[in-house]
Amino acid sequence: MRNEHYLIAHTIPIFSTLGEREFECLLNMTYLQSFPAGTQLIEEGDPSEFLHIILKGVIELFCSSNNRETTMFVLRPVSTFNLSAVLENTSYSMSARTLVKSKVLMVPAENMRKVIEVNAAFAHAMVSELAKRYRSLINAFREQRLLSSAERLANYLLRASEETSVGLQVKLTENRRTLAALLGMSPEHLSRAFNKLKDYGVEAKGGKIILANLKELKQFSESTG
Amino acid sequence: MRNEHYLIAHTIPIFSTLGEREFECLLNMTYLQSFPAGTQLIEEGDPSEFLHIILKGVIELFCSSNNRETTMFVLRPVSTFNLSAVLENTSYSMSARTLVKSKVLMVPAENMRKVIEVNAAFAHAMVSELAKRYRSLINAFREQRLLSSAERLANYLLRASEETSVGLQVKLTENRRTLAALLGMSPEHLSRAFNKLKDYGVEAKGGKIILANLKELKQFSESTG
DNA sequence: CGAGCCATTGACAGAGGTCAAGGCGTGTGG
DNA sequence: CCACACGCCTTGACCTCTGTCAATGGCTCG
């Protein structure tokens, strides 16, 4: 093991199946790079050269069409992106930029494809990872089509409260602008969505949100028209 | 080989890696069933028991929330659905129903998981299949967020023309109602979208669409606000 | 020929985006 | 320590896109 960063990378699910030797092989020719905030790391459509592993900071994955842009995901350590493009040896399906100063491990795509060929457990881990991502993307797509902006926000807050809440308080990890983009709405509209949720016990003060009435909020997010 | 249906199933990419013996093993305890139009085959959230292979007919995959419903995919022979749920041994992420009389091969989910354990080539085929689906889903999601309904329709027609056109004529495989649901809009709005596209050389008469001006249509779908 | 389904059209309503203005907090420099 | 500037969030006004409801027309099938 060369240093702490590699140890960190080894802990994530898709790499934990690998033995020391194979992991070393995977990391051959890997770059560790730091980027300032606002740096575009990859451009949608470019051929995939690396699997990116985010070790520090925040990365936004986004897509563009017709001079418009939408945020697909906001990623934090420790996670990877571009997996599907790398495995298929095709072009990136999304662009990526840093939202804050970030540290990224860049594993040559070819290494991934080589190791997958010889290591069945690694292939199974890929299957599992891709299936999970597929399912979560299905859910995001469904929410986009079926739920209003306020309902999407309610769902987001409820999920966040399951993961990170202290009592009824949720601490937002994104600023309002980023959260709006992630939920597929304008920043102005996010403000109004928060206002609407006040009726359901959502008190928002900066990055701290209090969900005073979980039951009503759930009811709103699940059954309102 | 037991009959023609199994031969057909053997031809699709994810199964073509399998030898005769493994394919037989996979199909152990498989059911071949016919369903009339409008039959719901699976319900979102139910535990996944089978990988479904559609041999004949048309299947709609859809999701529901808050008494609303949206069409995610419309599938025709020969293709599979539920792959991610089956591989992860978790619940279905979408519901499915027949749109017309259909014939479906139902492979026990456990068989899939067994064969993937012992056959590396099969695992690789799964990786490839999942990655492809992930990318096409990313694209659908992006279109839903970034494009207007008329632009989504234009893209749909352009894709269809690449695949199935005879000269400039495209034959629609779905009726208007289904097409509207697939593109994420109401049937009424689809009518208006077709009207808007008349300005760009789209002449629609029943199931036959003439794209009289591909260049302008492409321009509209890609760069209009 | 009539019933029924599907597609279209019109009128209306609601959701969400855009633009402009104002408020609030934070940090910096005088 | 205060004043100012800057960024971010919010608010209001307006407008576009899309859905809903109702009515109409056209087609198919009995």
mmCIF file of all heavy atoms in Angstrom, chain C residues 23-28, chain D residues 4-8:
data_model
loop_
_atom_site.group_PDB
_atom_site.id
_atom_site.type_symbol
_atom_site.label_atom_id
_atom_site.label_comp_id
_atom_site.label_asym_id
_atom_site.label_seq_id
_atom_site.Cartn_x
_atom_site.Cartn_y
_atom_site.Cartn_z
ATOM 1 P P DG C 23 -35.584 45.878 1.734
ATOM 2 O OP1 DG C 23 -36.683 46.585 2.404
ATOM 3 O OP2 DG C 23 -34.316 46.581 1.430
ATOM 4 O "O5'" DG C 23 -35.228 44.579 2.576
ATOM 5 C "C5'" DG C 23 -35.985 43.379 2.384
ATOM 6 C "C4'" DG C 23 -35.223 42.217 3.023
ATOM 7 O "O4'" DG C 23 -34.321 41.644 2.054
ATOM 8 C "C3'" DG C 23 -34.360 42.603 4.224
ATOM 9 O "O3'" DG C 23 -34.390 41.541 5.159
ATOM 10 C "C2'" DG C 23 -32.976 42.778 3.622
ATOM 11 C "C1'" DG C 23 -32.986 41.714 2.535
ATOM 12 N N9 DG C 23 -32.137 42.027 1.388
ATOM 13 C C8 DG C 23 -32.061 43.208 0.689
ATOM 14 N N7 DG C 23 -31.220 43.171 -0.307
ATOM 15 C C5 DG C 23 -30.715 41.884 -0.278
ATOM 16 C C6 DG C 23 -29.756 41.250 -1.121
ATOM 17 O O6 DG C 23 -29.155 41.729 -2.083
ATOM 18 N N1 DG C 23 -29.534 39.936 -0.735
ATOM 19 C C2 DG C 23 -30.141 39.316 0.324
ATOM 20 N N2 DG C 23 -29.791 38.050 0.539
ATOM 21 N N3 DG C 23 -31.032 39.884 1.115
ATOM 22 C C4 DG C 23 -31.272 41.167 0.753
ATOM 23 P P DC C 24 -34.048 41.839 6.707
ATOM 24 O OP1 DC C 24 -35.285 41.578 7.458
ATOM 25 O OP2 DC C 24 -33.342 43.149 6.808
ATOM 26 O "O5'" DC C 24 -33.019 40.698 7.062
ATOM 27 C "C5'" DC C 24 -33.018 39.464 6.330
ATOM 28 C "C4'" DC C 24 -31.607 38.935 6.195
ATOM 29 O "O4'" DC C 24 -31.048 39.405 4.960
ATOM 30 C "C3'" DC C 24 -30.652 39.404 7.296
ATOM 31 O "O3'" DC C 24 -30.312 38.295 8.112
ATOM 32 C "C2'" DC C 24 -29.455 39.976 6.551
ATOM 33 C "C1'" DC C 24 -29.637 39.469 5.144
ATOM 34 N N1 DC C 24 -29.099 40.344 4.073
ATOM 35 C C2 DC C 24 -28.133 39.841 3.200
ATOM 36 O O2 DC C 24 -27.753 38.676 3.327
ATOM 37 N N3 DC C 24 -27.648 40.644 2.227
ATOM 38 C C4 DC C 24 -28.094 41.910 2.116
ATOM 39 N N4 DC C 24 -27.592 42.667 1.130
ATOM 40 C C5 DC C 24 -29.070 42.441 3.004
ATOM 41 C C6 DC C 24 -29.542 41.638 3.958
ATOM 42 P P DG C 25 -29.414 38.521 9.425
ATOM 43 O OP1 DG C 25 -29.942 37.647 10.484
ATOM 44 O OP2 DG C 25 -29.230 39.965 9.667
ATOM 45 O "O5'" DG C 25 -28.030 37.920 8.937
ATOM 46 C "C5'" DG C 25 -27.989 36.603 8.408
ATOM 47 C "C4'" DG C 25 -26.661 36.375 7.708
ATOM 48 O "O4'" DG C 25 -26.540 37.290 6.592
ATOM 49 C "C3'" DG C 25 -25.442 36.613 8.609
ATOM 50 O "O3'" DG C 25 -24.574 35.497 8.526
ATOM 51 C "C2'" DG C 25 -24.806 37.886 8.055
ATOM 52 C "C1'" DG C 25 -25.264 37.899 6.605
ATOM 53 N N9 DG C 25 -25.414 39.238 6.025
ATOM 54 C C8 DG C 25 -26.182 40.268 6.517
ATOM 55 N N7 DG C 25 -26.142 41.344 5.774
ATOM 56 C C5 DG C 25 -25.287 41.010 4.738
ATOM 57 C C6 DG C 25 -24.852 41.772 3.622
ATOM 58 O O6 DG C 25 -25.150 42.939 3.338
ATOM 59 N N1 DG C 25 -23.990 41.047 2.805
ATOM 60 C C2 DG C 25 -23.588 39.744 3.032
ATOM 61 N N2 DG C 25 -22.760 39.220 2.137
ATOM 62 N N3 DG C 25 -23.995 39.019 4.076
ATOM 63 C C4 DG C 25 -24.836 39.708 4.878
ATOM 64 P P DT C 26 -23.359 35.349 9.546
ATOM 65 O OP1 DT C 26 -23.361 33.945 10.003
ATOM 66 O OP2 DT C 26 -23.417 36.461 10.514
ATOM 67 O "O5'" DT C 26 -22.090 35.564 8.616
ATOM 68 C "C5'" DT C 26 -22.082 34.998 7.305
ATOM 69 C "C4'" DT C 26 -20.929 35.583 6.503
ATOM 70 O "O4'" DT C 26 -21.336 36.844 5.918
ATOM 71 C "C3'" DT C 26 -19.688 35.889 7.350
ATOM 72 O "O3'" DT C 26 -18.533 35.392 6.691
ATOM 73 C "C2'" DT C 26 -19.661 37.411 7.435
ATOM 74 C "C1'" DT C 26 -20.307 37.793 6.121
ATOM 75 N N1 DT C 26 -20.949 39.130 6.116
ATOM 76 C C2 DT C 26 -20.694 39.981 5.067
ATOM 77 O O2 DT C 26 -19.976 39.693 4.134
ATOM 78 N N3 DT C 26 -21.339 41.199 5.141
ATOM 79 C C4 DT C 26 -22.188 41.635 6.155
ATOM 80 O O4 DT C 26 -22.695 42.747 6.130
ATOM 81 C C5 DT C 26 -22.399 40.695 7.221
ATOM 82 C C7 DT C 26 -23.297 41.066 8.369
ATOM 83 C C6 DT C 26 -21.778 39.490 7.158
ATOM 84 P P DG C 27 -17.155 35.276 7.516
ATOM 85 O OP1 DG C 27 -16.760 33.854 7.515
ATOM 86 O OP2 DG C 27 -17.274 36.019 8.790
ATOM 87 O "O5'" DG C 27 -16.158 36.071 6.577
ATOM 88 C "C5'" DG C 27 -16.366 36.066 5.167
ATOM 89 C "C4'" DG C 27 -15.765 37.317 4.556
ATOM 90 O "O4'" DG C 27 -16.675 38.435 4.721
ATOM 91 C "C3'" DG C 27 -14.446 37.745 5.219
ATOM 92 O "O3'" DG C 27 -13.538 38.173 4.222
ATOM 93 C "C2'" DG C 27 -14.860 38.901 6.128
ATOM 94 C "C1'" DG C 27 -15.980 39.521 5.308
ATOM 95 N N9 DG C 27 -16.942 40.300 6.093
ATOM 96 C C8 DG C 27 -17.534 39.932 7.274
ATOM 97 N N7 DG C 27 -18.375 40.829 7.735
ATOM 98 C C5 DG C 27 -18.323 41.852 6.791
ATOM 99 C C6 DG C 27 -19.016 43.089 6.748
ATOM 100 O O6 DG C 27 -19.818 43.541 7.561
ATOM 101 N N1 DG C 27 -18.672 43.826 5.613
ATOM 102 C C2 DG C 27 -17.776 43.421 4.648
ATOM 103 N N2 DG C 27 -17.572 44.256 3.634
ATOM 104 N N3 DG C 27 -17.122 42.262 4.679
ATOM 105 C C4 DG C 27 -17.450 41.529 5.773
ATOM 106 P P DT C 28 -11.961 38.245 4.558
ATOM 107 O OP1 DT C 28 -11.304 37.103 3.904
ATOM 108 O OP2 DT C 28 -11.775 38.485 6.006
ATOM 109 O "O5'" DT C 28 -11.544 39.565 3.782
ATOM 110 C "C5'" DT C 28 -12.342 40.026 2.692
ATOM 111 C "C4'" DT C 28 -12.286 41.547 2.631
ATOM 112 O "O4'" DT C 28 -13.362 42.108 3.433
ATOM 113 C "C3'" DT C 28 -10.985 42.146 3.181
ATOM 114 O "O3'" DT C 28 -10.491 43.103 2.270
ATOM 115 C "C2'" DT C 28 -11.406 42.778 4.501
ATOM 116 C "C1'" DT C 28 -12.836 43.180 4.189
ATOM 117 N N1 DT C 28 -13.700 43.331 5.382
ATOM 118 C C2 DT C 28 -14.517 44.436 5.468
ATOM 119 O O2 DT C 28 -14.570 45.295 4.615
ATOM 120 N N3 DT C 28 -15.297 44.485 6.606
ATOM 121 C C4 DT C 28 -15.312 43.560 7.652
ATOM 122 O O4 DT C 28 -16.042 43.717 8.621
ATOM 123 C C5 DT C 28 -14.431 42.438 7.490
ATOM 124 C C7 DT C 28 -14.376 41.381 8.561
ATOM 125 C C6 DT C 28 -13.674 42.371 6.383
ATOM 126 P P DC D 4 -21.133 53.771 3.929
ATOM 127 O OP1 DC D 4 -21.077 55.161 3.426
ATOM 128 O OP2 DC D 4 -22.406 53.210 4.450
ATOM 129 O "O5'" DC D 4 -20.578 52.801 2.807
ATOM 130 C "C5'" DC D 4 -19.172 52.657 2.625
ATOM 131 C "C4'" DC D 4 -18.883 51.293 2.052
ATOM 132 O "O4'" DC D 4 -18.963 50.294 3.094
ATOM 133 C "C3'" DC D 4 -19.858 50.852 0.960
ATOM 134 O "O3'" DC D 4 -19.150 50.727 -0.251
ATOM 135 C "C2'" DC D 4 -20.428 49.516 1.465
ATOM 136 C "C1'" DC D 4 -19.415 49.089 2.517
ATOM 137 N N1 DC D 4 -19.973 48.263 3.616
ATOM 138 C C2 DC D 4 -19.409 47.002 3.885
ATOM 139 O O2 DC D 4 -18.473 46.609 3.181
ATOM 140 N N3 DC D 4 -19.910 46.255 4.891
ATOM 141 C C4 DC D 4 -20.920 46.721 5.627
ATOM 142 N N4 DC D 4 -21.365 45.947 6.624
ATOM 143 C C5 DC D 4 -21.509 47.987 5.384
ATOM 144 C C6 DC D 4 -21.014 48.721 4.378
ATOM 145 P P DA D 5 -19.930 50.468 -1.616
ATOM 146 O OP1 DA D 5 -19.371 51.391 -2.629
ATOM 147 O OP2 DA D 5 -21.380 50.436 -1.363
ATOM 148 O "O5'" DA D 5 -19.446 48.995 -1.969
ATOM 149 C "C5'" DA D 5 -18.118 48.603 -1.617
ATOM 150 C "C4'" DA D 5 -17.991 47.099 -1.764
ATOM 151 O "O4'" DA D 5 -18.471 46.452 -0.559
ATOM 152 C "C3'" DA D 5 -18.811 46.515 -2.914
ATOM 153 O "O3'" DA D 5 -18.049 45.500 -3.556
ATOM 154 C "C2'" DA D 5 -20.042 45.941 -2.227
ATOM 155 C "C1'" DA D 5 -19.470 45.505 -0.877
ATOM 156 N N9 DA D 5 -20.436 45.516 0.216
ATOM 157 C C8 DA D 5 -21.383 46.451 0.471
ATOM 158 N N7 DA D 5 -22.107 46.200 1.533
ATOM 159 C C5 DA D 5 -21.587 45.014 2.007
ATOM 160 C C6 DA D 5 -21.908 44.207 3.109
ATOM 161 N N6 DA D 5 -22.889 44.515 3.970
ATOM 162 N N1 DA D 5 -21.196 43.073 3.295
ATOM 163 C C2 DA D 5 -20.231 42.787 2.432
ATOM 164 N N3 DA D 5 -19.824 43.456 1.358
ATOM 165 C C4 DA D 5 -20.555 44.570 1.205
ATOM 166 P P DC D 6 -18.433 45.034 -5.034
ATOM 167 O OP1 DC D 6 -17.240 45.265 -5.874
ATOM 168 O OP2 DC D 6 -19.744 45.615 -5.408
ATOM 169 O "O5'" DC D 6 -18.616 43.476 -4.862
ATOM 170 C "C5'" DC D 6 -17.752 42.730 -3.993
ATOM 171 C "C4'" DC D 6 -18.505 41.553 -3.444
ATOM 172 O "O4'" DC D 6 -19.340 41.986 -2.352
ATOM 173 C "C3'" DC D 6 -19.445 40.894 -4.462
ATOM 174 O "O3'" DC D 6 -18.929 39.628 -4.828
ATOM 175 C "C2'" DC D 6 -20.795 40.789 -3.734
ATOM 176 C "C1'" DC D 6 -20.455 41.129 -2.288
ATOM 177 N N1 DC D 6 -21.535 41.851 -1.571
ATOM 178 C C2 DC D 6 -22.013 41.340 -0.356
ATOM 179 O O2 DC D 6 -21.521 40.304 0.085
ATOM 180 N N3 DC D 6 -22.993 42.014 0.309
ATOM 181 C C4 DC D 6 -23.497 43.139 -0.202
ATOM 182 N N4 DC D 6 -24.454 43.760 0.483
ATOM 183 C C5 DC D 6 -23.027 43.674 -1.438
ATOM 184 C C6 DC D 6 -22.063 42.996 -2.090
ATOM 185 P P DG D 7 -19.697 38.758 -5.962
ATOM 186 O OP1 DG D 7 -18.681 38.045 -6.775
ATOM 187 O OP2 DG D 7 -20.730 39.586 -6.610
ATOM 188 O "O5'" DG D 7 -20.432 37.674 -5.048
ATOM 189 C "C5'" DG D 7 -19.686 36.991 -4.038
ATOM 190 C "C4'" DG D 7 -20.635 36.201 -3.161
ATOM 191 O "O4'" DG D 7 -21.424 37.122 -2.368
ATOM 192 C "C3'" DG D 7 -21.620 35.336 -3.943
ATOM 193 O "O3'" DG D 7 -21.688 34.060 -3.354
ATOM 194 C "C2'" DG D 7 -22.949 36.090 -3.829
ATOM 195 C "C1'" DG D 7 -22.809 36.829 -2.510
ATOM 196 N N9 DG D 7 -23.532 38.090 -2.477
ATOM 197 C C8 DG D 7 -23.517 39.084 -3.427
ATOM 198 N N7 DG D 7 -24.258 40.113 -3.111
ATOM 199 C C5 DG D 7 -24.800 39.782 -1.875
ATOM 200 C C6 DG D 7 -25.675 40.502 -1.032
ATOM 201 O O6 DG D 7 -26.159 41.621 -1.219
ATOM 202 N N1 DG D 7 -25.974 39.800 0.137
ATOM 203 C C2 DG D 7 -25.477 38.554 0.441
ATOM 204 N N2 DG D 7 -25.873 38.021 1.598
ATOM 205 N N3 DG D 7 -24.652 37.869 -0.337
ATOM 206 C C4 DG D 7 -24.357 38.538 -1.475
ATOM 207 P P DC D 8 -22.504 32.885 -4.085
ATOM 208 O OP1 DC D 8 -21.726 31.648 -3.872
ATOM 209 O OP2 DC D 8 -22.891 33.338 -5.437
ATOM 210 O "O5'" DC D 8 -23.829 32.782 -3.212
ATOM 211 C "C5'" DC D 8 -23.722 32.539 -1.821
ATOM 212 C "C4'" DC D 8 -25.069 32.758 -1.191
ATOM 213 O "O4'" DC D 8 -25.407 34.160 -1.285
ATOM 214 C "C3'" DC D 8 -26.209 32.009 -1.877
ATOM 215 O "O3'" DC D 8 -26.822 31.157 -0.927
ATOM 216 C "C2'" DC D 8 -27.163 33.092 -2.365
ATOM 217 C "C1'" DC D 8 -26.790 34.269 -1.484
ATOM 218 N N1 DC D 8 -27.034 35.603 -2.086
ATOM 219 C C2 DC D 8 -27.827 36.522 -1.401
ATOM 220 O O2 DC D 8 -28.312 36.191 -0.317
ATOM 221 N N3 DC D 8 -28.051 37.741 -1.947
ATOM 222 C C4 DC D 8 -27.503 38.059 -3.120
ATOM 223 N N4 DC D 8 -27.741 39.281 -3.623
ATOM 224 C C5 DC D 8 -26.683 37.134 -3.835
ATOM 225 C C6 DC D 8 -26.479 35.926 -3.286
#
